[in-house]
Amino acid sequence: MRTLFPSDSCKEPLLSAINPQSWLQVERGKLTKLAPQSPSSIESLIKVPEPPILPLYKPVDYVKVLAQIHEDLESCLPTERSNLYLLQYQVFKGLREAKLMRRSLRSAWLKSSTVYEKLVFGAWLKYEKQGEEIISDLLSSCGKCAKEFGAIDIPSEFPVHETPNFPDMLNDTLVSRIVSFQIGDEKITCDRRMIAGLSAPFHAMLHGCFTESFTEDIDLSENNISPSGMRAISDYSKTGSLSEVPPSLLLEILVFANRFCCESLKDACDKKLASLVSSRQDAVELMEFALEQNSPVLAASCLQVFLHELPDSLDDKQVVELLSGLDRQKRSIMVGPASFSLYSLLTEVAMDSDPSSDRAVLFLKQLVDCAATSRQKMVAFHQFGCVRLFRKEYDQAEKLFEAALSEGHVYSVVGLARLRHIKGHKDWCYEKITSVVSSHTPLGWMYQERSLYCDGDERWEELERATELDPTLTYPYMYRAASLMRKQDVQSALAEINRVLGFKLALECLELRFCFYLALEDYQSALCDVQAILTLCPDYRMFDGRVAASQLRILVREHVENWTTADCWLQLYDRWSLVDDIGSLSVIYQMLESDAAKGVLYFRQSLLLLRLNCPEAAMRSLQLARQHASSEPERLVYEGWILYDTGHCEEGLQKAEESINLQRSFEAFFLKAYALADSSQDPSCSSTVVSLLEEALKCPSDRLRKGQALNNLGSVYVDCGKLDAAADCYINALKIRHTRAHQGLARVHFLRNDKNAAYAEMTKLIEKARNNASAYEKRSEYCERELTKADLEMVTRLDPLRVYPYRYRAAVLMDNHKEKEAIAELSRAIAFKADLHLLHLRAAFHEHIGDVMGALRDCRAALSVDPNHQEMLELHSRVNTQEP
């Protein structure tokens, strides 16, 4: 066994080397010590910052808001739908529901009623899909087009302006059919009737009662039109085309058309110029002109270029100045009725880059000016207040938070309280939050905020209540853990921070635990956490952003004995078997520094990240696996997984088959079996899946992956009713320490009517697995009601985001005719998790007790989460007919 903590007395304890008060300077990749270190360093090292004020729309009752949006969508005009979907997006963003956010944006795009909305929401979806360009390329390689959000042909989206028919005011015999316009020394001869048909002013001039109506020569020298421009206008009056006119002349003609109200000519110039915008520089040069000349087609085309290049285009000062300096009229020319949507997008892009930037301020000013409805104002005022606070512009921030609060955004009280606290009004803060708690349904963030304005045991109690109401809040765990650490109650401190890390892989919590381990001089564990952090976020910075995590890792590594490649594989095998996902991530990160096959390691990394519910990081690792593949068959497998994980199952299968055709491999057969089992509804495909997994097991692979294949094969056998074959698979998987196979074997025991054996099998998994909430949940199915209740209570303690325990407890209460308690149990979870099944069950409970409005509200909110859920649609239809 290797020593975890090398006893090298020559090395100074790392705690004294990395205390943030002793050094925080990074020069040329090296950490430079700045000053001597005081021995009492733990206090500053484990300081927990106040919880951030989130610049998000956070209604007190999000279910009510979602239900109202759904109701409005059922009855609104088509022109109102995109704005409602944008509001739905804001609600889901406040709930941190990334998939639902994107679906709302897609709905806004699909339901766009104007070219402007199509432009904005298409650009927004493209921005959200940054880094996913590879998926389009892979789909193209499979013969499938995926360029959904490409450039729009803007001119074709605008109606054609018809030339009006003007009645002749004079007898044709009294005037010549020819008219000549004198411009400088040149005369341009035109058809009087054709020129008169361009606009009402020309018609009045040439066919009216003016002097020009009876003359053949008219001087236009003072009207800023060149001879070549007038010739082009004459040609247009006859042909209706500007096809051969150069861009510089088009600008001149457009100004002339505006002056003489030649709408069809102006429209033709507008569209012709719009079709010529091909670069950002073109757009910059033409946008101001378009706004001055009221040319909506050209302005929209310029805007499309800026939006298509987000976020890079916002690094261009000219672009920012153009987009942020518009009044209401110019915004209307550029983006029609979609101003709020546009500046919501621009604000989000600016804040993603730097929430305290000048750009964010400029776009938020526009957003506030565009906000028309109360909810739009809530979003705009609150976001702007947060940015002003980040910039320490306290007086302006206070006014904005007050404005948001007055519109009904209760969460903005957090901003007001922080500002008053900065000014020393702690008692006012406590009383203000107390008034919120007493006048609304209490939420976790309210108690978390109030805890900041009290001390000692009272603060602890407030944070316990916050966790009870919303266990997803990380600050309470961090505060309690740090407090226990300061009291030198090490085990309790680690247990507290591990509570949250057991179900939520929050970087700030990993950072705090890293600091704990440093204080304990447990450098191996500290290294594990910093490597997990860097896996999730390679550019992460610690200590309020002052130090790169990668630099801290270098320091910690000096205090930990190096592992050989063989050591690393043994460590990975041990941690994988213990279902220690964070430990496994750390080992893989370390292995990636060696000369090992990086494609395989990045692929393993992606599997772990998916298991830890980190889909973005998992996709990044999968793309790195593809990039580092050692052969074409291996690359095809990773491409298949990329496609499968993004919902393109058929194309994923195609990649697997291409890989198998080149080289039979475990991963190619495994991918094909996995994708086929997931995509096919045909029961007969089970035999194909079995044969594919059997082929996979014949190919070379390590025990980690073979254990997974055996486990999957066992599941297929169970579904086919072949319990003996399934048991053999699970037992063989357990022999190579695939710990999760205990769950499959337990299922076999249960199907053989041996609940006791099933319970015992799950108990083995619970004893072995580091992350075992799912094991407790599964074991609850194999015991009597009291033990079931105990297991499910344990599940909720270990992972409060798992919804089955709440549903089970609510159903038991309902069976016992405790309707209010049953609804309260569901409401407890719904308060912090927008889950379809919880909302569905609560809607059914409301219907059962005759609360039609409550049932209807939950149905509508649930359909906001999944608009196509059949049972939910049926319940909604039934309840809707009962509405008074």
Side-chain angles (χ1 to χ4, degrees):
M1 293 295 291
R2 293 187 174 276
T3 305
L4 287 178
F5 311 116
S7 56
D8 187 347
S9 58
C10 297
K11 290 184 178 177
E12 108 184 275
L14 246 185
L15 184 58
S16 64
I18 69 167
N19 187 287
Q21 292 184 348
S22 84
W23 59 262
L24 284 170
Q25 183 174 341
V26 180
E27 293 179 354
R28 297 182 183 177
K30 294 185 179 180
L31 294 168
T32 307
K33 200 167 182 181
L34 299 181
Q37 167 60 37
S38 165
S40 58
S41 54
I42 294 179
E43 186 73 22
S44 60
L45 190 66
I46 63 173
K47 184 178 179 182
V48 177
E50 289 184 348
I53 302 172
L54 303 173
L56 306 173
Y57 177 44
K58 294 181 72 66
V60 171
D61 187 351
Y62 77 85
V63 173
K64 181 179 178 181
V65 175
L66 286 176
Q68 185 62 58
I69 293 169
H70 187 273
E71 184 179 6
D72 292 345
L73 283 167
E74 290 179 320
S75 58
C76 70
L77 296 170
T79 53
E80 298 170 345
R81 284 182 185 149
S82 286
N83 272 337
L84 287 168
Y85 281 118
L86 174 57
L87 179 60
Q88 188 184 77
Y89 165 84
Q90 300 285 9
V91 176
F92 286 137
K93 189 174 183 184
L95 292 167
R96 306 299 183 91
E97 294 285 353
K99 287 184 179 179
L100 299 180
M101 287 162 54
R102 189 174 287 190
R103 200 201 60 221
S104 294
L105 283 181
R106 185 173 178 80
S107 296
W109 177 67
L110 289 170
K111 300 297 182 181
S112 296
S113 61
T114 67
V115 63
Y116 303 110
E117 290 169 338
K118 203 177 294 183
L119 189 61
V120 170
F121 289 111
W124 204 329
L125 284 163
K126 182 177 182 294
Y127 172 71
E128 289 287 327
K129 287 175 171 284
Q130 283 181 101
E132 297 180 19
E133 294 82 4
I134 184 178
I135 297 165
S136 296
D137 295 338
L138 293 179
L139 287 171
S140 297
S141 72
C142 296
K144 183 175 179 180
C145 180
K147 301 284 185 183
E148 288 183 290
F149 312 115
I152 299 171
D153 180 6
I154 298 285
S156 69
E157 296 284 337
F158 283 80
V160 176
H161 193 96
E162 299 292 340
T163 302
N165 292 318
F166 297 104
D168 287 344
M169 299 172 67
L170 292 177
N171 194 313
D172 283 348
T173 60
L174 301 179
V175 294
S176 170
R177 295 187 62 84
I178 301 300
V179 63
S180 297
F181 293 102
Q182 184 77 37
I183 300 173
D185 296 331
E186 294 191 47
K187 265 187 185 180
I188 294 86
T189 302
C190 305
D191 185 303
R192 180 183 294 269
R193 186 184 295 275
M194 294 299 180
I195 295 295
L198 290 175
S199 70
F202 268 128
H203 187 269
M205 177 197 294
L206 299 176
H207 282 177
C209 302
F210 299 98
T211 303
E212 291 86 351
S213 305
F214 300 96
T215 61
E216 294 185 14
D217 297 316
I218 300 173
D219 191 351
L220 283 183
S221 298
E222 303 300 320
N223 286 279
N224 296 321
I225 187 72
S226 65
S228 54
M230 197 64 218
R231 287 191 195 92
I233 293 169
S234 177
D235 290 342
Y236 173 80
S237 71
K238 300 170 186 174
T239 66
S241 171
L242 294 168
S243 58
E244 302 300 323
V245 181
S248 58
L249 209 55
L250 286 170
L251 299 174
E252 180 184 312
I253 294 170
L254 182 56
V255 174
F256 181 87
N258 257 335
R259 174 171 293 181
F260 286 94
C261 304
C262 305
E263 294 302 326
S264 63
L265 177 60
K266 176 191 171 184
D267 183 59
C269 282
D270 195 3
K271 290 180 176 177
K272 181 68 175 176
L273 282 166
S275 68
L276 299 175
V277 179
S278 60
S279 68
R280 190 195 305 173
Q281 192 55 45
D282 289 342
V284 167
E285 291 172 359
L286 290 170
M287 176 65 93
E288 196 166 354
F289 176 84
L291 297 173
E292 287 174 359
Q293 297 301 319
N294 190 15
S295 301
V297 186
L298 178 57
S301 294
C302 295
L303 177 63
Q304 175 168 243
V305 172
F306 299 152
L307 297 183
H308 188 74
E309 295 184 10
L310 288 174
D312 295 344
S313 57
L314 295 192
D315 292 329
D316 188 325
K317 289 184 180 180
Q318 289 179 294
V319 173
V320 173
E321 287 172 7
L322 278 169
L323 295 175
S324 63
L326 306 181
D327 58 24
R328 195 175 296 264
Q329 182 182 359
K330 288 184 177 177
R331 284 199 303 264
S332 179
I333 295 168
M334 179 179 71
V335 72
S339 292
F340 187 80
S341 302
L342 171 64
Y343 286 100
S344 293
L345 167 59
L346 295 176
T347 295
E348 182 162 311
V349 175
M351 291 183 69
D352 285 348
S353 173
D354 180 1
S356 60
S357 65
D358 291 340
R359 286 180 304 185
V361 170
L362 291 169
F363 291 136
L364 277 162
K365 284 180 179 177
Q366 292 284 332
L367 187 67
V368 166
D369 197 39
C370 295
T373 68
S374 179
R375 284 179 178 146
Q376 286 179 347
K377 290 175 182 177
M378 288 184 210
V379 172
F381 286 139
H382 180 72
Q383 281 190 324
F384 205 0
C386 289
V387 168
R388 291 293 193 194
L389 180 57
F390 299 154
R391 291 163 64 93
K392 300 185 178 179
E393 297 166 355
Y394 298 140
D395 291 340
Q396 292 159 298
E398 187 170 5
K399 290 176 184 176
L400 288 160
F401 284 131
E402 285 174 346
L405 187 60
S406 68
E407 291 291 342
H409 192 240
V410 177
Y411 179 71
S412 294
V413 76
V414 173
L416 284 176
R418 300 289 177 90
L419 288 164
R420 292 295 180 91
H421 192 216
I422 289 169
K423 296 175 181 178
H425 305 304
K426 186 175 178 180
D427 291 342
W428 182 94
C429 301
Y430 185 88
E431 291 167 6
K432 186 67 174 177
I433 302 298
T434 298
S435 71
V436 170
V437 171
S438 61
S439 56
H440 297 87
T441 301
L443 295 172
W445 65 258
M446 299 175 185
Y447 285 91
Q448 175 178 270
E449 189 62 26
R450 192 166 68 174
S451 75
L452 303 179
Y453 313 118
C454 50
D455 302 300
D457 291 343
E458 187 180 358
R459 187 172 196 176
W460 190 283
E461 289 169 7
E462 293 285 293
L463 290 173
E464 287 286 5
R465 181 68 173 140
T467 299
E468 181 185 333
L469 291 170
D470 186 352
T472 67
L473 297 171
T474 58
Y475 174 78
Y477 300 96
M478 295 172 69
Y479 175 85
R480 290 189 295 261
S483 298
L484 290 164
M485 196 69 179
R486 290 188 191 101
K487 295 174 183 177
Q488 298 186 354
D489 188 350
V490 173
Q491 294 307 314
S492 297
L494 288 172
E496 183 64 28
I497 200 65
N498 287 340
R499 276 178 67 192
V500 64
L501 286 171
F503 66 89
K504 185 175 183 178
L505 199 56
L507 291 170
E508 65 271 20
C509 295
L510 277 172
E511 179 180 348
L512 183 61
R513 192 170 71 175
F514 166 80
C515 293
F516 287 177
Y517 287 134
L518 288 183
L520 298 169
E521 297 186 28
D522 181 352
Y523 301 133
Q524 185 67 55
S525 297
L527 181 65
C528 175
D529 279 350
V530 77
Q531 289 182 161
I533 287 169
L534 288 166
T535 300
L536 291 165
C537 183
D539 300 323
Y540 190 75
R541 299 183 70 83
M542 293 182 166
F543 302 123
D544 294 326
R546 291 174 291 177
V547 188
S550 56
Q551 300 294 341
L552 289 175
R553 176 181 176 271
I554 292 169
L555 281 179
V556 176
R557 278 294 301 272
E558 293 176 3
H559 290 251
V560 176
E561 187 172 354
N562 286 328
W563 288 337
T564 65
T565 301
D567 292 332
C568 286
W569 276 108
L570 287 171
Q571 291 290 334
L572 179 60
Y573 188 52
D574 285 343
R575 282 161 171 73
W576 202 287
S577 299
L578 292 171
V579 198
D580 175 9
D581 295 334
I582 294 176
S584 299
L585 277 182
S586 175
V587 175
I588 289 175
Y589 186 93
Q590 197 160 325
M591 292 172 77
L592 283 165
E593 289 189 330
S594 69
D595 295 328
K598 287 184 169 54
V600 172
L601 292 172
Y602 278 121
F603 177 59
R604 296 291 167 78
Q605 193 180 74
S606 75
L607 297 174
L608 287 165
L609 289 165
L610 278 178
R611 210 152 72 188
L612 289 163
N613 195 28
C614 302
E616 290 181 6
M619 181 54 65
R620 185 176 65 240
S621 295
L622 203 45
Q623 291 184 19
L624 286 167
R626 174 182 180 267
Q627 184 180 323
H628 289 89
S630 59
S631 66
E632 186 178 356
E634 184 185 347
R635 177 180 56 78
L636 287 166
V637 168
Y638 302 145
E639 290 179 352
W641 280 114
I642 290 170
L643 290 165
Y644 174 82
D645 287 346
T646 52
H648 303 286
C649 192
E650 288 184 16
E651 291 74 22
L653 275 169
Q654 185 177 329
K655 291 289 183 182
E657 287 164 0
E658 287 177 29
S659 180
I660 291 168
N661 289 338
L662 292 174
Q663 179 183 326
R664 295 165 58 85
S665 70
F666 174 91
E667 292 298 351
F669 281 116
F670 188 91
L671 167 61
K672 186 174 180 180
Y674 198 94
L676 189 62
D678 191 44
S679 63
S680 177
Q681 303 298 318
D682 184 359
S684 64
C685 86
S686 296
S687 58
T688 306
V689 173
V690 167
S691 64
L692 288 168
L693 288 171
E694 287 174 344
E695 289 299 321
L697 289 165
K698 293 175 185 176
C699 299
S701 185
D702 59 70
R703 289 180 292 176
L704 296 176
R705 293 298 282 158
K706 288 210 169 181
Q708 182 67 63
L710 286 165
N711 197 58
N712 287 19
L713 185 56
S715 297
V716 179
Y717 279 136
V718 167
D719 292 340
C720 297
K722 298 179 180 179
L723 300 185
D724 290 343
D728 288 342
C729 287
Y730 292 131
I731 291 168
N732 287 331
L734 288 170
K735 286 178 181 177
I736 53 176
R737 295 177 64 189
H738 186 77
T739 309
R740 292 176 186 271
H742 283 296
Q743 184 168 317
L745 192 54
R747 187 181 174 201
V748 170
H749 290 315
F750 178 72
L751 292 171
R752 288 170 170 170
N753 296 317
D754 192 346
K755 280 178 68 173
N756 291 335
Y759 184 89
E761 199 66 45
M762 289 307 301
T763 302
K764 294 176 185 176
L765 175 55
I766 288 167
E767 290 168 351
K768 291 179 183 179
R770 181 73 61 90
N771 299 318
N772 53 18
S774 62
Y776 275 105
E777 183 172 300
K778 197 65 183 175
R779 190 176 72 170
S780 72
E781 298 176 21
Y782 307 137
C783 51
E784 302 305 321
R785 176 166 286 191
E786 287 307 311
L787 288 175
T788 295
K789 287 170 65 177
D791 272 357
L792 292 178
E793 287 294 342
M794 179 61 77
V795 173
T796 300
R797 281 199 292 274
L798 293 172
D799 185 354
L801 297 179
R802 300 184 77 88
V803 300
Y804 173 73
Y806 302 98
R807 293 166 60 204
Y808 176 88
R809 289 189 291 264
V812 170
L813 289 165
M814 205 68 179
D815 287 343
N816 294 330
H817 307 290
K818 296 180 179 179
E819 290 88 355
K820 288 184 179 179
E821 292 90 336
I823 290 172
E825 178 65 23
L826 295 173
S827 300
R828 180 161 73 108
I830 288 169
F832 59 84
K833 186 173 178 64
D835 181 79
L836 172 73
H837 303 292
L838 293 172
L839 288 165
H840 185 188
L841 190 57
R842 193 172 73 171
F845 286 1
H846 280 306
E847 183 194 30
H848 177 74
I849 64 174
D851 181 0
V852 175
M853 296 309 296
L856 194 56
R857 179 202 61 215
D858 284 351
C859 284
R860 286 170 172 158
L863 288 171
S864 299
V865 174
D866 184 354
N868 301 313
H869 191 270
Q870 192 57 42
E871 289 182 26
M872 203 69 250
L873 287 166
E874 291 169 5
L875 179 57
H876 176 252
S877 177
R878 187 169 69 243
V879 173
N880 213 8
T881 60
Q882 303 171 32
E883 185 182 1

